[in-house]
Amino acid sequence: MSYVEVPGAKVPIRMWADPATVEGSALQQLQNVATLPWIKGLAVMPDVHYGKGATVGSVIAMQGAVCPAAVGVDIGCGMSAVKTSLTANDLPGDLSRLRSRIEQVIPVGRGMHDDPVDPGRLHGFGTAGWEGFWGRFDGIAEAVKFRQERATKQMGTLGSGNHFVEVCTDTTGSVWLMLHSGSRNIGKELAEHHIGIAQKLPHNQGLVDRDLAVFVADTPQMAAYRNDLFWAQEYAKYNRSIMMALLKDVIRKEFKKAKPAFEPEISAHHNYVAEERYDGMDLLVTRKGAIRAGSGDYGIIPGSMGTGSYIVKGLGNEKAFNSASHGAGRRMSRNAAKRRFSTKDLEEQTRGVECRKDSGVVDEIPGAYKPIEQVIDQQRDLVEVVAKLKQVVCVKG
């Protein structure tokens, strides 16, 4: 489908979804965002749903301002994927050992490494810029500096919620590695710190929703936020790169005879800010639950823990600010999913996938998400499909 334009807004709200299927609370959030004085346009992705302040699955373009809640509290959250030389025939019938090995190497949930990962000891990991990155920690908000030890030990860890590590096969039988994670607790604390500051600024006192508080250009508050924002985005990217290096090491050891090789890594943020130019204007574009899909950009659009995912290539649609969806998107809240589904339902919907099937992940059941095929079909003018993947192992936080 192409987009539909939401009527009545002072700036274009272009929606790659059927408005009739979008929850009323999410539609109201979009209208709220459109009232901001700095707004130049919104692009709404097929996986749109209610979020804090701004919807998940929205791309918001502003001039001279940025809204931290339109980035999300997991700054830099995103995906990484790597195609391997292995095929489905190389995989054992029982994948429980492989899942166990991954869980031993990559801490999940609130877990962290006993000692910080030394990237210099990771096979093929590029350490250029690593020392400079940590050197900039001294320049981030004083309120979170005491978290440095935890931040170093959480580097290379998965987290919880909808974060995951997967081993997948594509339609040709090739094996892929894929993971989803962000800036861990340090990114969340930086986001919440700056949202709190923004909400107290005089220019934000008359907003329809206090969670839409913004920083404006050429102010010390904006400069401080941008500094911490871009640092956290880099943290998230390093976090995924280290996890992928650890995952590759597991694969090398478990499939030693096959001597696995790995293609270049595909990596894409989906909670972040970028400086981009549209219609002759320099804009700050926030993607909250959306990926960049400029012409030729590779991206990853995952489904749920039982349905599969897509590797895509962007078509460069400027009406969508060169963006696409970040996943299937939830169709019910976590609490609603827990009320609606049981562990028996989870077992049924994840049949054939080596994964957790206990009550702790019922809120991530495939039935809680929109159908990924429908989400892909709604954005055929935003991306082209490169590969369709189906997970055989899923490690959940």
Side-chain angles (χ1 to χ4, degrees):
M1 66 174 285
S2 185
Y3 67 88
V4 294
E5 197 158 313
V6 178
K10 72 168 190 174
V11 296
I13 302 179
R14 303 184 186 104
M15 183 176 291
W16 276 261
D18 179 358
T21 66
V22 180
E23 57 200 318
S25 55
L27 289 171
Q28 185 59 57
Q29 285 188 319
L30 295 169
Q31 295 286 359
N32 291 347
V33 170
T35 68
L36 296 174
W38 310 271
I39 195 80
K40 294 301 177 183
L42 288 85
V44 185
M45 300 295 105
D47 59 341
V48 63
H49 58 279
Y50 179 82
K52 184 175 175 61
T55 60
V56 179
S58 59
V59 183
I60 300 170
M62 289 200 241
Q63 190 171 39
V66 66
C67 172
V71 181
V73 293
D74 190 359
I75 298 170
C77 186
M79 300 278 304
S80 294
V82 170
K83 186 178 182 180
T84 79
S85 60
L86 299 174
T87 69
N89 292 332
D90 294 312
L91 299 175
D94 182 357
L95 291 164
S96 58
R97 172 187 161 102
L98 180 57
R99 176 163 76 97
S100 177
R101 290 289 186 268
I102 295 169
E103 291 170 342
Q104 288 169 11
V105 170
I106 300 175
V108 302
R110 295 187 177 183
M112 63 184 80
H113 294 282
D114 294 334
D115 298 298
V117 175
D118 178 1
R121 300 181 66 179
L122 296 176
H123 189 284
F125 185 88
T127 57
W130 178 255
E131 290 187 9
F133 163 73
W134 282 112
R136 293 196 301 279
F137 189 90
D138 288 339
I140 70 170
E142 288 286 341
V144 301
K145 279 188 180 177
F146 72 102
R147 299 294 195 188
Q148 182 168 10
E149 182 181 359
R150 184 172 68 181
T152 58
K153 291 183 177 181
Q154 283 191 324
M155 178 67 83
T157 66
L158 187 63
S160 56
N162 60 355
H163 293 162
F164 61 80
V165 176
E166 289 183 345
V167 178
C168 310
T169 58
D170 66 18
T171 52
T172 70
S174 293
V175 172
W176 289 68
L177 310 179
M178 188 165 68
L179 57 87
H180 171 211
S181 191
S183 52
R184 303 297 284 109
N185 196 259
I186 192 71
K188 176 178 180 290
E189 292 200 2
L190 284 169
E192 291 175 344
H193 168 74
H194 285 287
I195 289 171
I197 290 173
Q199 288 175 339
K200 296 173 184 174
L201 295 174
H203 62 261
N204 289 320
Q205 299 315 302
L207 299 178
V208 65
D209 182 349
R210 69 191 300 265
D211 285 329
L212 292 178
V214 307
F215 293 115
V216 295
D218 303 319
T219 63
Q221 295 91 350
M222 171 69 110
Y225 176 62
R226 283 169 60 100
N227 177 76
D228 293 359
L229 168 78
F230 292 133
W231 184 87
Q233 288 179 185
E234 199 170 350
Y235 182 103
K237 190 169 184 178
Y238 272 126
N239 184 41
R240 290 193 296 274
S241 294
I242 286 178
M243 277 192 286
M244 188 60 79
L246 293 170
L247 180 57
K248 287 177 182 177
D249 282 346
V250 170
I251 298 300
R252 287 188 188 96
K253 290 172 183 174
E254 291 297 304
F255 299 92
K256 195 176 295 184
K257 288 184 179 179
K259 297 180 180 178
F262 306 92
E263 292 193 3
E265 189 171 323
I266 299 169
S267 183
H269 289 321
H270 55 226
N271 279 15
Y272 76 113
V273 178
E275 299 169 332
E276 298 177 3
R277 189 170 178 84
Y278 296 95
D279 297 326
M281 294 181 290
D282 292 320
L283 302 175
L284 286 166
V285 178
T286 59
R287 295 183 175 92
K288 180 180 182 179
I291 60 172
R292 179 170 169 82
S295 182
D297 288 341
Y298 281 92
I300 306 158
I301 303 178
S304 63
M305 62 189 288
T307 58
S309 303
Y310 287 83
I311 306 297
V312 298
K313 190 187 292 186
L315 297 177
N317 190 328
E318 293 203 358
K319 294 291 187 182
F321 300 107
N322 290 324
S323 304
S325 79
H326 84 310
R330 299 192 71 91
R331 64 179 177 185
M332 65 179 70
S333 70
R334 294 185 181 280
N335 287 334
K338 289 176 182 177
R339 292 191 298 268
R340 168 70 177 81
F341 297 109
S342 66
T343 53
K344 185 176 180 181
D345 295 321
L346 180 64
E347 290 172 7
E348 177 69 26
Q349 294 183 29
T350 59
R351 183 174 287 130
V353 181
E354 173 57 44
C355 64
R356 287 177 59 186
K357 301 179 192 284
D358 57 81
S359 60
V361 292
V362 166
D363 56 345
E364 281 293 301
I365 191 170
Y369 284 84
K370 297 176 183 178
I372 183 62
E373 289 79 12
Q374 174 186 316
V375 169
I376 292 294
D377 193 55
Q378 288 175 310
Q379 53 189 325
R380 294 289 179 180
D381 58 339
L382 305 182
V383 294
E384 62 175 314
V385 172
V386 174
K388 182 179 180 180
L389 314 184
K390 178 67 175 73
Q391 66 272 78
V392 292
V393 176
C394 177
V395 173
K396 273 283 183 186

